[in-house]
């Protein structure tokens, strides 16, 4: 690394393989040898690990975070015309799955500090058609789940945590994925805990829902070729489970390193840009480390010139997406979401970034901001 350019990897997935190459290769070869590609023993082994780690009674692995959301929504029997409250500041899948079932995503603006759904604005949006709330633990930290659960209980609604970015995070000493009736996470490669392709899991402590989702993930079958529900082909590959079983053994260490990187960024950057804030009672797994800048395009270009990759999560809020034009939202309806969408900028985040690299990145940010 010289003084003017560098090659910093945004998520550094190659390193995540290299670091545990031998163990990962061995685990993968084991699956190939047994040829137990579908619902092999590593799948159940992983689910037990996920249950132990999160404290949720049941972890049901599945094919992606998106399918985890679908399984939860199908488990509570979401019908066309139902309404589900969520945030417009999230990845499309959160609202897409609601709309996929012909229900209506009802958006609530976010908090300016955490970028999570503002619990004080939820109750206004509840109607007789409201069935559930999907709070998203954006960028790796959980929203105020006590308040959200309280509103939900008062109005008899289900809460589904979209924990695609927060697996491993804590809220008041408890893990993300154990804080509401349902939680959904993703093992997409670039998530804090990623596999080598698509993967996900849905969590619940309700035995009845667990049974239903286990069945729905296997085409709604109760036994082979006997189908109780309309379900889906939503299994996690045995290969991905085997990879995750290895990666789970080192995940606590990865979280600590992500937290170290975030802390070092914040120490250097806090006086020059808006840095992310972790709410009291929370710990984040830093799915993203995102700052806010006024001249984003310029900053992105200057960092790129220095070999520093960045990303924007997310440039267009969901209420202004073309696919949701039919809901007839207009610009200005969710002012905090819109403001953050214009300013947010994610910096390289992975467990392997060195202090020197963080200093290098920060130096270039300092010269790029207005
Ligand atoms: C990644 C993500 C999803 C979808 O997960 P996939 O595994 O990619 O299907 C859903 N919600 C949020 C907030 C995400 O970040």
């Amino acid at each position: 690394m010289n003084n003017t350019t560098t090659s910093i990897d945004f998520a550094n997935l190659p390193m995540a393989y290299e670091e545990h190459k031998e163990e990962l290769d061995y685990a993968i070869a084991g699956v190939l040898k047994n040829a137990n590609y579908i619902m092999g023993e590593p799948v159940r082994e992983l689910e037990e690990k996920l249950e132990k780690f999160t404290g949720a009674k049941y972890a049901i692995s599945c094919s992606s975070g998106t399918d985890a959301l679908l399984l939860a929504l199908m488990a509570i029997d979401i019908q066309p015309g139902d309404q589900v409250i969520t945030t417009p500041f999230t990845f499309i899948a959160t609202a897409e799955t609601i709309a996929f079932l012909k229900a209506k995503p009802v958006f609530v603006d976010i908090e300016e500090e955490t970028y999570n759904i503002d619990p004080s604005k939820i109750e206004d949006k509840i109607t007789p058609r409201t069935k559930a709330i999907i709070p998203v633990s954006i960028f790796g930290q959980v929203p105020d789940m006590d308040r959200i659960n309280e509103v939900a209980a008062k109005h008899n609604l289900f809460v589904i945590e979209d924990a695609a970015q927060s697996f491993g995070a804590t809220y008041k000493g408890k893990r993300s994925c154990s804080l509401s009736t349902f939680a959904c996470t993703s093992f997409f490669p670039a998530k804090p805990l990623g596999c080598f392709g698509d993967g996900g899991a849905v969590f619940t402590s309700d035995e009845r829902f667990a049974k239903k989702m286990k069945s729905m993930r296997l085409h709604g079958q109760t036994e082979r070729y006997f189908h109780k529900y309309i379900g889906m082909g939503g299994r996690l590959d045995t290969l991905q489970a085997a990879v995750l079983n290895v990666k789970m053994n080192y995940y606590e260490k990865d979280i600590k390193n992500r937290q170290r990187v975030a802390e070092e960024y914040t120490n250097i950057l806090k006086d020059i840009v808006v840095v992310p804030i972790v709410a009291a009672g929370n710990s984040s797994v830093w799915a993203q480390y995102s700052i806010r800048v006024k001249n984003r395009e310029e900053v992105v270009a200057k960092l790129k010139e220095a070999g520093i990759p960045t990303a924007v999560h997310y440039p267009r809020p969901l209420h202004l997406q073309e696919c949701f034009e039919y809901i007839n939202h207009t610009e200005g309806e969710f002012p905090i979401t819109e403001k953050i969408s214009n300013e947010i900028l994610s910096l390289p985040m992975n467990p392997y970034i060195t202090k020197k690299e963080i200093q290098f990145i920060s130096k270039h940010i300092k010269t790029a901001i207005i």
Side-chain angles (χ1 to χ4, degrees), residues 63-67 69 90-94 136-138 162-165 185-188 191 198-200 314:
S63 41
S64 68
T66 305
D67 283 345
L69 287 164
T90 176
F91 180 60
I92 185 70
T94 316
V136 178
S137 300
I138 202 79
D162 183 340
Q165 302 186 8
T185 199
S186 164
F187 304 123
F188 182 83
K191 306 284 181 184
D198 278 306
Y314 297 93

Side-chain angles (χ1 to χ4, degrees), residues 340-358:
I340 305 304
S341 301
N342 286 327
E343 298 179 359
I344 203 83
L345 180 65
S346 301
L347 303 180
M349 169 50 77
N350 61 70
Y352 313 105
I353 305 181
T354 64
K355 193 165 183 172
K356 236 181 163 162
E357 287 173 325
I358 292 164

Side-chain angles (χ1 to χ4, degrees), residues 179-296:
L179 305 166
S180 46
T181 305
F182 297 91
C184 304
T185 199
S186 164
F187 304 123
F188 182 83
K191 306 284 181 184
L193 177 67
C195 59
F196 293 168
D198 278 306
V202 53
F203 299 81
T204 185
S205 289
D206 182 305
E207 190 186 354
R208 202 168 42 100
F209 286 134
K211 245 180 148 166
K212 191 171 177 183
M213 291 189 291
K214 274 182 194 173
S215 166
M216 284 181 147
R217 145 186 91 168
L218 294 168
H219 301 288
Q221 74 178 30
T222 42
E223 54 185 300
R224 202 169 199 188
Y225 304 132
F226 292 86
H227 305 270
K228 178 169 173 160
Y229 309 105
I230 301 294
M232 62 166 86
R235 300 164 299 235
L236 179 73
D237 290 343
T238 307
L239 271 172
Q240 302 301 347
V243 166
L244 287 165
N245 282 330
V246 174
K247 292 189 79 175
M248 272 294 281
N249 294 339
Y250 304 99
Y251 190 49
E252 298 270 17
K253 190 181 116 203
D254 286 346
I255 293 173
K256 284 211 171 73
N257 272 312
R258 300 179 83 90
Q259 290 169 344
R260 167 191 63 79
V261 170
E263 207 179 301
E264 285 168 359
Y265 269 134
T266 296
N267 283 342
I268 306 183
L269 290 171
K270 65 179 187 301
D271 296 327
I272 53 167
V273 290
V274 181
V275 292
I277 293 168
V278 178
N282 272 0
S283 74
S284 176
V285 291
W286 299 102
Q288 305 299 341
Y289 185 93
S290 309
I291 59 170
R292 271 156 58 194
V293 293
K294 300 277 183 202
N295 58 334
R296 186 167 64 196

